[in-house]
Amino acid sequence: MTREVDDEDTIRQVVDRLQEKYPEVARQELESVAREEFHSLAGRPVRDYLSILTERAAKKRLKRDIKESS
């Protein structure tokens, strides 16, 4: 239970930071991207860096998506 709460807190923090960087992207989309990136990393032995790695992966994906939609 604690890990699930911590995971949700990590995702929320990443989404908050992404929202500052990508204000033109809907929060729901940012959360979806962050959640997918988080879960793709969660099974790996990188739990201490999960927040940073999730944010980096989400930023990379959002930059690509924004570039492709332009």
Side-chain angles (χ1 to χ4, degrees):
M1 180 89 165
T2 301
R3 173 162 271 159
E4 185 175 323
V5 172
D6 292 342
D7 291 352
E8 288 300 316
D9 190 46
T10 297
I11 292 168
R12 186 173 47 258
Q13 289 174 14
V14 168
V15 171
D16 289 346
R17 290 190 299 269
L18 289 171
Q19 194 166 37
E20 289 178 18
K21 182 148 179 79
Y22 301 99
E24 72 278 8
V25 180
R27 186 171 177 89
Q28 185 175 8
E29 183 177 349
L30 295 174
E31 184 174 339
S32 176
V33 168
R35 194 171 294 284
E36 287 175 19
E37 296 299 336
F38 178 89
H39 288 299
S40 74
L41 297 166
R44 299 182 184 174
V46 294
R47 294 232 31 117
D48 291 343
Y49 305 102
L50 206 46
S51 176
I52 294 166
L53 294 172
T54 299
E55 185 173 353
R56 285 183 184 170
K59 281 181 181 179
K60 183 177 179 180
R61 183 170 159 188
L62 288 164
K63 283 180 185 178
R64 183 190 69 228
D65 291 351
I66 290 169
K67 186 176 181 180
E68 287 176 0
S69 69
S70 296

mmCIF file with all atom_site columns, all heavy atoms in Angstrom, residues 22-41:
data_model
loop_
_atom_site.group_PDB
_atom_site.id
_atom_site.type_symbol
_atom_site.label_atom_id
_atom_site.label_alt_id
_atom_site.label_comp_id
_atom_site.label_asym_id
_atom_site.label_entity_id
_atom_site.label_seq_id
_atom_site.pdbx_PDB_ins_code
_atom_site.Cartn_x
_atom_site.Cartn_y
_atom_site.Cartn_z
_atom_site.occupancy
_atom_site.B_iso_or_equiv
_atom_site.pdbx_formal_charge
_atom_site.auth_seq_id
_atom_site.auth_comp_id
_atom_site.auth_asym_id
_atom_site.auth_atom_id
_atom_site.pdbx_PDB_model_num
ATOM 1   N N   . TYR A 1 22 ? 5.392  22.215 -20.229 1.00 0.00 ? 22 TYR A N   1
ATOM 2   C CA  . TYR A 1 22 ? 4.487  22.057 -21.375 1.00 0.00 ? 22 TYR A CA  1
ATOM 3   C C   . TYR A 1 22 ? 3.081  22.552 -21.037 1.00 0.00 ? 22 TYR A C   1
ATOM 4   O O   . TYR A 1 22 ? 2.132  21.769 -20.981 1.00 0.00 ? 22 TYR A O   1
ATOM 5   C CB  . TYR A 1 22 ? 4.427  20.581 -21.807 1.00 0.00 ? 22 TYR A CB  1
ATOM 6   C CG  . TYR A 1 22 ? 5.764  20.026 -22.196 1.00 0.00 ? 22 TYR A CG  1
ATOM 7   C CD1 . TYR A 1 22 ? 6.510  19.267 -21.297 1.00 0.00 ? 22 TYR A CD1 1
ATOM 8   C CD2 . TYR A 1 22 ? 6.297  20.272 -23.455 1.00 0.00 ? 22 TYR A CD2 1
ATOM 9   C CE1 . TYR A 1 22 ? 7.747  18.764 -21.658 1.00 0.00 ? 22 TYR A CE1 1
ATOM 10  C CE2 . TYR A 1 22 ? 7.533  19.770 -23.819 1.00 0.00 ? 22 TYR A CE2 1
ATOM 11  C CZ  . TYR A 1 22 ? 8.255  19.018 -22.913 1.00 0.00 ? 22 TYR A CZ  1
ATOM 12  O OH  . TYR A 1 22 ? 9.487  18.535 -23.268 1.00 0.00 ? 22 TYR A OH  1
ATOM 13  N N   . PRO A 1 23 ? 2.909  23.853 -20.812 1.00 0.00 ? 23 PRO A N   1
ATOM 14  C CA  . PRO A 1 23 ? 1.593  24.369 -20.417 1.00 0.00 ? 23 PRO A CA  1
ATOM 15  C C   . PRO A 1 23 ? 0.531  24.207 -21.509 1.00 0.00 ? 23 PRO A C   1
ATOM 16  O O   . PRO A 1 23 ? -0.655 24.225 -21.210 1.00 0.00 ? 23 PRO A O   1
ATOM 17  C CB  . PRO A 1 23 ? 1.857  25.853 -20.117 1.00 0.00 ? 23 PRO A CB  1
ATOM 18  C CG  . PRO A 1 23 ? 3.092  26.180 -20.874 1.00 0.00 ? 23 PRO A CG  1
ATOM 19  C CD  . PRO A 1 23 ? 3.901  24.919 -20.930 1.00 0.00 ? 23 PRO A CD  1
ATOM 20  N N   . GLU A 1 24 ? 0.968  24.024 -22.754 1.00 0.00 ? 24 GLU A N   1
ATOM 21  C CA  . GLU A 1 24 ? 0.018  23.872 -23.854 1.00 0.00 ? 24 GLU A CA  1
ATOM 22  C C   . GLU A 1 24 ? -0.572 22.463 -23.943 1.00 0.00 ? 24 GLU A C   1
ATOM 23  O O   . GLU A 1 24 ? -1.545 22.232 -24.653 1.00 0.00 ? 24 GLU A O   1
ATOM 24  C CB  . GLU A 1 24 ? 0.697  24.233 -25.197 1.00 0.00 ? 24 GLU A CB  1
ATOM 25  C CG  . GLU A 1 24 ? 1.719  23.228 -25.701 1.00 0.00 ? 24 GLU A CG  1
ATOM 26  C CD  . GLU A 1 24 ? 3.111  23.353 -25.084 1.00 0.00 ? 24 GLU A CD  1
ATOM 27  O OE1 . GLU A 1 24 ? 3.317  24.115 -24.128 1.00 0.00 ? 24 GLU A OE1 1
ATOM 28  O OE2 . GLU A 1 24 ? 4.015  22.667 -25.583 1.00 0.00 ? 24 GLU A OE2 1
ATOM 29  N N   . VAL A 1 25 ? -0.014 21.522 -23.193 1.00 0.00 ? 25 VAL A N   1
ATOM 30  C CA  . VAL A 1 25 ? -0.485 20.136 -23.212 1.00 0.00 ? 25 VAL A CA  1
ATOM 31  C C   . VAL A 1 25 ? -1.442 19.932 -22.044 1.00 0.00 ? 25 VAL A C   1
ATOM 32  O O   . VAL A 1 25 ? -1.155 20.332 -20.915 1.00 0.00 ? 25 VAL A O   1
ATOM 33  C CB  . VAL A 1 25 ? 0.699  19.143 -23.122 1.00 0.00 ? 25 VAL A CB  1
ATOM 34  C CG1 . VAL A 1 25 ? 0.215  17.713 -23.135 1.00 0.00 ? 25 VAL A CG1 1
ATOM 35  C CG2 . VAL A 1 25 ? 1.685  19.385 -24.264 1.00 0.00 ? 25 VAL A CG2 1
ATOM 36  N N   . ALA A 1 26 ? -2.578 19.308 -22.324 1.00 0.00 ? 26 ALA A N   1
ATOM 37  C CA  . ALA A 1 26 ? -3.583 19.063 -21.282 1.00 0.00 ? 26 ALA A CA  1
ATOM 38  C C   . ALA A 1 26 ? -2.994 18.199 -20.163 1.00 0.00 ? 26 ALA A C   1
ATOM 39  O O   . ALA A 1 26 ? -2.242 17.261 -20.415 1.00 0.00 ? 26 ALA A O   1
ATOM 40  C CB  . ALA A 1 26 ? -4.797 18.361 -21.884 1.00 0.00 ? 26 ALA A CB  1
ATOM 41  N N   . ARG A 1 27 ? -3.343 18.536 -18.927 1.00 0.00 ? 27 ARG A N   1
ATOM 42  C CA  . ARG A 1 27 ? -2.833 17.784 -17.777 1.00 0.00 ? 27 ARG A CA  1
ATOM 43  C C   . ARG A 1 27 ? -3.155 16.298 -17.895 1.00 0.00 ? 27 ARG A C   1
ATOM 44  O O   . ARG A 1 27 ? -2.336 15.451 -17.540 1.00 0.00 ? 27 ARG A O   1
ATOM 45  C CB  . ARG A 1 27 ? -3.392 18.358 -16.473 1.00 0.00 ? 27 ARG A CB  1
ATOM 46  C CG  . ARG A 1 27 ? -2.774 17.693 -15.251 1.00 0.00 ? 27 ARG A CG  1
ATOM 47  C CD  . ARG A 1 27 ? -3.156 18.395 -13.958 1.00 0.00 ? 27 ARG A CD  1
ATOM 48  N NE  . ARG A 1 27 ? -2.613 17.679 -12.824 1.00 0.00 ? 27 ARG A NE  1
ATOM 49  C CZ  . ARG A 1 27 ? -1.409 17.899 -12.291 1.00 0.00 ? 27 ARG A CZ  1
ATOM 50  N NH1 . ARG A 1 27 ? -0.637 18.838 -12.795 1.00 0.00 ? 27 ARG A NH1 1
ATOM 51  N NH2 . ARG A 1 27 ? -0.986 17.204 -11.253 1.00 0.00 ? 27 ARG A NH2 1
ATOM 52  N N   . GLN A 1 28 ? -4.320 15.970 -18.408 1.00 0.00 ? 28 GLN A N   1
ATOM 53  C CA  . GLN A 1 28 ? -4.711 14.570 -18.555 1.00 0.00 ? 28 GLN A CA  1
ATOM 54  C C   . GLN A 1 28 ? -3.736 13.831 -19.484 1.00 0.00 ? 28 GLN A C   1
ATOM 55  O O   . GLN A 1 28 ? -3.355 12.698 -19.211 1.00 0.00 ? 28 GLN A O   1
ATOM 56  C CB  . GLN A 1 28 ? -6.135 14.480 -19.101 1.00 0.00 ? 28 GLN A CB  1
ATOM 57  C CG  . GLN A 1 28 ? -6.670 13.073 -19.173 1.00 0.00 ? 28 GLN A CG  1
ATOM 58  C CD  . GLN A 1 28 ? -8.124 13.061 -19.612 1.00 0.00 ? 28 GLN A CD  1
ATOM 59  O OE1 . GLN A 1 28 ? -8.689 14.075 -19.994 1.00 0.00 ? 28 GLN A OE1 1
ATOM 60  N NE2 . GLN A 1 28 ? -8.733 11.899 -19.556 1.00 0.00 ? 28 GLN A NE2 1
ATOM 61  N N   . GLU A 1 29 ? -3.307 14.481 -20.560 1.00 0.00 ? 29 GLU A N   1
ATOM 62  C CA  . GLU A 1 29 ? -2.353 13.864 -21.469 1.00 0.00 ? 29 GLU A CA  1
ATOM 63  C C   . GLU A 1 29 ? -0.983 13.727 -20.800 1.00 0.00 ? 29 GLU A C   1
ATOM 64  O O   . GLU A 1 29 ? -0.315 12.699 -20.938 1.00 0.00 ? 29 GLU A O   1
ATOM 65  C CB  . GLU A 1 29 ? -2.212 14.674 -22.755 1.00 0.00 ? 29 GLU A CB  1
ATOM 66  C CG  . GLU A 1 29 ? -1.269 14.024 -23.755 1.00 0.00 ? 29 GLU A CG  1
ATOM 67  C CD  . GLU A 1 29 ? -1.176 14.783 -25.070 1.00 0.00 ? 29 GLU A CD  1
ATOM 68  O OE1 . GLU A 1 29 ? -1.977 15.696 -25.313 1.00 0.00 ? 29 GLU A OE1 1
ATOM 69  O OE2 . GLU A 1 29 ? -0.285 14.439 -25.849 1.00 0.00 ? 29 GLU A OE2 1
ATOM 70  N N   . LEU A 1 30 ? -0.571 14.754 -20.063 1.00 0.00 ? 30 LEU A N   1
ATOM 71  C CA  . LEU A 1 30 ? 0.695  14.683 -19.340 1.00 0.00 ? 30 LEU A CA  1
ATOM 72  C C   . LEU A 1 30 ? 0.677  13.530 -18.343 1.00 0.00 ? 30 LEU A C   1
ATOM 73  O O   . LEU A 1 30 ? 1.656  12.787 -18.223 1.00 0.00 ? 30 LEU A O   1
ATOM 74  C CB  . LEU A 1 30 ? 0.969  16.000 -18.607 1.00 0.00 ? 30 LEU A CB  1
ATOM 75  C CG  . LEU A 1 30 ? 1.197  17.235 -19.469 1.00 0.00 ? 30 LEU A CG  1
ATOM 76  C CD1 . LEU A 1 30 ? 1.303  18.474 -18.582 1.00 0.00 ? 30 LEU A CD1 1
ATOM 77  C CD2 . LEU A 1 30 ? 2.421  17.079 -20.337 1.00 0.00 ? 30 LEU A CD2 1
ATOM 78  N N   . GLU A 1 31 ? -0.426 13.382 -17.649 1.00 0.00 ? 31 GLU A N   1
ATOM 79  C CA  . GLU A 1 31 ? -0.536 12.299 -16.671 1.00 0.00 ? 31 GLU A CA  1
ATOM 80  C C   . GLU A 1 31 ? -0.489 10.938 -17.358 1.00 0.00 ? 31 GLU A C   1
ATOM 81  O O   . GLU A 1 31 ? 0.165  10.019 -16.879 1.00 0.00 ? 31 GLU A O   1
ATOM 82  C CB  . GLU A 1 31 ? -1.821 12.429 -15.852 1.00 0.00 ? 31 GLU A CB  1
ATOM 83  C CG  . GLU A 1 31 ? -1.919 11.374 -14.773 1.00 0.00 ? 31 GLU A CG  1
ATOM 84  C CD  . GLU A 1 31 ? -3.112 11.550 -13.855 1.00 0.00 ? 31 GLU A CD  1
ATOM 85  O OE1 . GLU A 1 31 ? -3.658 12.662 -13.769 1.00 0.00 ? 31 GLU A OE1 1
ATOM 86  O OE2 . GLU A 1 31 ? -3.489 10.549 -13.229 1.00 0.00 ? 31 GLU A OE2 1
ATOM 87  N N   . SER A 1 32 ? -1.154 10.826 -18.485 1.00 0.00 ? 32 SER A N   1
ATOM 88  C CA  . SER A 1 32 ? -1.153 9.571  -19.223 1.00 0.00 ? 32 SER A CA  1
ATOM 89  C C   . SER A 1 32 ? 0.261  9.202  -19.665 1.00 0.00 ? 32 SER A C   1
ATOM 90  O O   . SER A 1 32 ? 0.706  8.066  -19.495 1.00 0.00 ? 32 SER A O   1
ATOM 91  C CB  . SER A 1 32 ? -2.086 9.678  -20.432 1.00 0.00 ? 32 SER A CB  1
ATOM 92  O OG  . SER A 1 32 ? -2.025 8.522  -21.211 1.00 0.00 ? 32 SER A OG  1
ATOM 93  N N   . VAL A 1 33 ? 0.976  10.173 -20.228 1.00 0.00 ? 33 VAL A N   1
ATOM 94  C CA  . VAL A 1 33 ? 2.348  9.936  -20.683 1.00 0.00 ? 33 VAL A CA  1
ATOM 95  C C   . VAL A 1 33 ? 3.242  9.583  -19.492 1.00 0.00 ? 33 VAL A C   1
ATOM 96  O O   . VAL A 1 33 ? 4.005  8.608  -19.543 1.00 0.00 ? 33 VAL A O   1
ATOM 97  C CB  . VAL A 1 33 ? 2.898  11.169 -21.439 1.00 0.00 ? 33 VAL A CB  1
ATOM 98  C CG1 . VAL A 1 33 ? 4.397  11.050 -21.669 1.00 0.00 ? 33 VAL A CG1 1
ATOM 99  C CG2 . VAL A 1 33 ? 2.167  11.362 -22.751 1.00 0.00 ? 33 VAL A CG2 1
ATOM 100 N N   . ALA A 1 34 ? 3.145  10.354 -18.430 1.00 0.00 ? 34 ALA A N   1
ATOM 101 C CA  . ALA A 1 34 ? 3.976  10.109 -17.249 1.00 0.00 ? 34 ALA A CA  1
ATOM 102 C C   . ALA A 1 34 ? 3.681  8.732  -16.656 1.00 0.00 ? 34 ALA A C   1
ATOM 103 O O   . ALA A 1 34 ? 4.603  7.991  -16.288 1.00 0.00 ? 34 ALA A O   1
ATOM 104 C CB  . ALA A 1 34 ? 3.750  11.195 -16.203 1.00 0.00 ? 34 ALA A CB  1
ATOM 105 N N   . ARG A 1 35 ? 2.415  8.378  -16.574 1.00 0.00 ? 35 ARG A N   1
ATOM 106 C CA  . ARG A 1 35 ? 2.028  7.076  -16.014 1.00 0.00 ? 35 ARG A CA  1
ATOM 107 C C   . ARG A 1 35 ? 2.574  5.929  -16.872 1.00 0.00 ? 35 ARG A C   1
ATOM 108 O O   . ARG A 1 35 ? 3.117  4.954  -16.348 1.00 0.00 ? 35 ARG A O   1
ATOM 109 C CB  . ARG A 1 35 ? 0.506  7.011  -15.912 1.00 0.00 ? 35 ARG A CB  1
ATOM 110 C CG  . ARG A 1 35 ? -0.022 5.884  -15.072 1.00 0.00 ? 35 ARG A CG  1
ATOM 111 C CD  . ARG A 1 35 ? -1.525 6.026  -14.857 1.00 0.00 ? 35 ARG A CD  1
ATOM 112 N NE  . ARG A 1 35 ? -1.875 7.198  -14.066 1.00 0.00 ? 35 ARG A NE  1
ATOM 113 C CZ  . ARG A 1 35 ? -1.726 7.307  -12.745 1.00 0.00 ? 35 ARG A CZ  1
ATOM 114 N NH1 . ARG A 1 35 ? -1.229 6.298  -12.062 1.00 0.00 ? 35 ARG A NH1 1
ATOM 115 N NH2 . ARG A 1 35 ? -2.079 8.400  -12.112 1.00 0.00 ? 35 ARG A NH2 1
ATOM 116 N N   . GLU A 1 36 ? 2.476  6.047  -18.200 1.00 0.00 ? 36 GLU A N   1
ATOM 117 C CA  . GLU A 1 36 ? 2.988  5.000  -19.089 1.00 0.00 ? 36 GLU A CA  1
ATOM 118 C C   . GLU A 1 36 ? 4.501  4.873  -18.965 1.00 0.00 ? 36 GLU A C   1
ATOM 119 O O   . GLU A 1 36 ? 5.026  3.754  -18.885 1.00 0.00 ? 36 GLU A O   1
ATOM 120 C CB  . GLU A 1 36 ? 2.612  5.310  -20.535 1.00 0.00 ? 36 GLU A CB  1
ATOM 121 C CG  . GLU A 1 36 ? 1.146  5.095  -20.833 1.00 0.00 ? 36 GLU A CG  1
ATOM 122 C CD  . GLU A 1 36 ? 0.764  5.527  -22.240 1.00 0.00 ? 36 GLU A CD  1
ATOM 123 O OE1 . GLU A 1 36 ? 1.660  5.655  -23.108 1.00 0.00 ? 36 GLU A OE1 1
ATOM 124 O OE2 . GLU A 1 36 ? -0.439 5.740  -22.487 1.00 0.00 ? 36 GLU A OE2 1
ATOM 125 N N   . GLU A 1 37 ? 5.191  6.006  -18.934 1.00 0.00 ? 37 GLU A N   1
ATOM 126 C CA  . GLU A 1 37 ? 6.653  5.972  -18.808 1.00 0.00 ? 37 GLU A CA  1
ATOM 127 C C   . GLU A 1 37 ? 7.067  5.423  -17.443 1.00 0.00 ? 37 GLU A C   1
ATOM 128 O O   . GLU A 1 37 ? 8.003  4.636  -17.342 1.00 0.00 ? 37 GLU A O   1
ATOM 129 C CB  . GLU A 1 37 ? 7.248  7.363  -19.039 1.00 0.00 ? 37 GLU A CB  1
ATOM 130 C CG  . GLU A 1 37 ? 7.045  7.906  -20.432 1.00 0.00 ? 37 GLU A CG  1
ATOM 131 C CD  . GLU A 1 37 ? 7.677  7.053  -21.524 1.00 0.00 ? 37 GLU A CD  1
ATOM 132 O OE1 . GLU A 1 37 ? 8.639  6.291  -21.251 1.00 0.00 ? 37 GLU A OE1 1
ATOM 133 O OE2 . GLU A 1 37 ? 7.213  7.140  -22.676 1.00 0.00 ? 37 GLU A OE2 1
ATOM 134 N N   . PHE A 1 38 ? 6.347  5.806  -16.415 1.00 0.00 ? 38 PHE A N   1
ATOM 135 C CA  . PHE A 1 38 ? 6.632  5.317  -15.068 1.00 0.00 ? 38 PHE A CA  1
ATOM 136 C C   . PHE A 1 38 ? 6.509  3.795  -15.027 1.00 0.00 ? 38 PHE A C   1
ATOM 137 O O   . PHE A 1 38 ? 7.402  3.100  -14.546 1.00 0.00 ? 38 PHE A O   1
ATOM 138 C CB  . PHE A 1 38 ? 5.661  5.954  -14.071 1.00 0.00 ? 38 PHE A CB  1
ATOM 139 C CG  . PHE A 1 38 ? 5.833  5.470  -12.660 1.00 0.00 ? 38 PHE A CG  1
ATOM 140 C CD1 . PHE A 1 38 ? 6.716  6.113  -11.798 1.00 0.00 ? 38 PHE A CD1 1
ATOM 141 C CD2 . PHE A 1 38 ? 5.120  4.387  -12.194 1.00 0.00 ? 38 PHE A CD2 1
ATOM 142 C CE1 . PHE A 1 38 ? 6.875  5.672  -10.498 1.00 0.00 ? 38 PHE A CE1 1
ATOM 143 C CE2 . PHE A 1 38 ? 5.279  3.942  -10.895 1.00 0.00 ? 38 PHE A CE2 1
ATOM 144 C CZ  . PHE A 1 38 ? 6.160  4.585  -10.039 1.00 0.00 ? 38 PHE A CZ  1
ATOM 145 N N   . HIS A 1 39 ? 5.409  3.285  -15.554 1.00 0.00 ? 39 HIS A N   1
ATOM 146 C CA  . HIS A 1 39 ? 5.180  1.838  -15.494 1.00 0.00 ? 39 HIS A CA  1
ATOM 147 C C   . HIS A 1 39 ? 6.151  1.065  -16.378 1.00 0.00 ? 39 HIS A C   1
ATOM 148 O O   . HIS A 1 39 ? 6.475  -0.082 -16.079 1.00 0.00 ? 39 HIS A O   1
ATOM 149 C CB  . HIS A 1 39 ? 3.725  1.510  -15.825 1.00 0.00 ? 39 HIS A CB  1
ATOM 150 C CG  . HIS A 1 39 ? 2.789  1.917  -14.720 1.00 0.00 ? 39 HIS A CG  1
ATOM 151 N ND1 . HIS A 1 39 ? 2.849  1.406  -13.444 1.00 0.00 ? 39 HIS A ND1 1
ATOM 152 C CD2 . HIS A 1 39 ? 1.786  2.831  -14.696 1.00 0.00 ? 39 HIS A CD2 1
ATOM 153 C CE1 . HIS A 1 39 ? 1.932  1.969  -12.682 1.00 0.00 ? 39 HIS A CE1 1
ATOM 154 N NE2 . HIS A 1 39 ? 1.278  2.850  -13.425 1.00 0.00 ? 39 HIS A NE2 1
ATOM 155 N N   . SER A 1 40 ? 6.650  1.691  -17.438 1.00 0.00 ? 40 SER A N   1
ATOM 156 C CA  . SER A 1 40 ? 7.641  0.998  -18.264 1.00 0.00 ? 40 SER A CA  1
ATOM 157 C C   . SER A 1 40 ? 8.980  0.878  -17.533 1.00 0.00 ? 40 SER A C   1
ATOM 158 O O   . SER A 1 40 ? 9.769  -0.006 -17.827 1.00 0.00 ? 40 SER A O   1
ATOM 159 C CB  . SER A 1 40 ? 7.834  1.716  -19.606 1.00 0.00 ? 40 SER A CB  1
ATOM 160 O OG  . SER A 1 40 ? 8.561  2.910  -19.447 1.00 0.00 ? 40 SER A OG  1
ATOM 161 N N   . LEU A 1 41 ? 9.218  1.755  -16.559 1.00 0.00 ? 41 LEU A N   1
ATOM 162 C CA  . LEU A 1 41 ? 10.459 1.732  -15.785 1.00 0.00 ? 41 LEU A CA  1
ATOM 163 C C   . LEU A 1 41 ? 10.314 1.058  -14.426 1.00 0.00 ? 41 LEU A C   1
ATOM 164 O O   . LEU A 1 41 ? 11.308 0.648  -13.827 1.00 0.00 ? 41 LEU A O   1
ATOM 165 C CB  . LEU A 1 41 ? 10.955 3.163  -15.561 1.00 0.00 ? 41 LEU A CB  1
ATOM 166 C CG  . LEU A 1 41 ? 11.331 3.955  -16.809 1.00 0.00 ? 41 LEU A CG  1
ATOM 167 C CD1 . LEU A 1 41 ? 11.469 5.432  -16.474 1.00 0.00 ? 41 LEU A CD1 1
ATOM 168 C CD2 . LEU A 1 41 ? 12.619 3.422  -17.404 1.00 0.00 ? 41 LEU A CD2 1
#
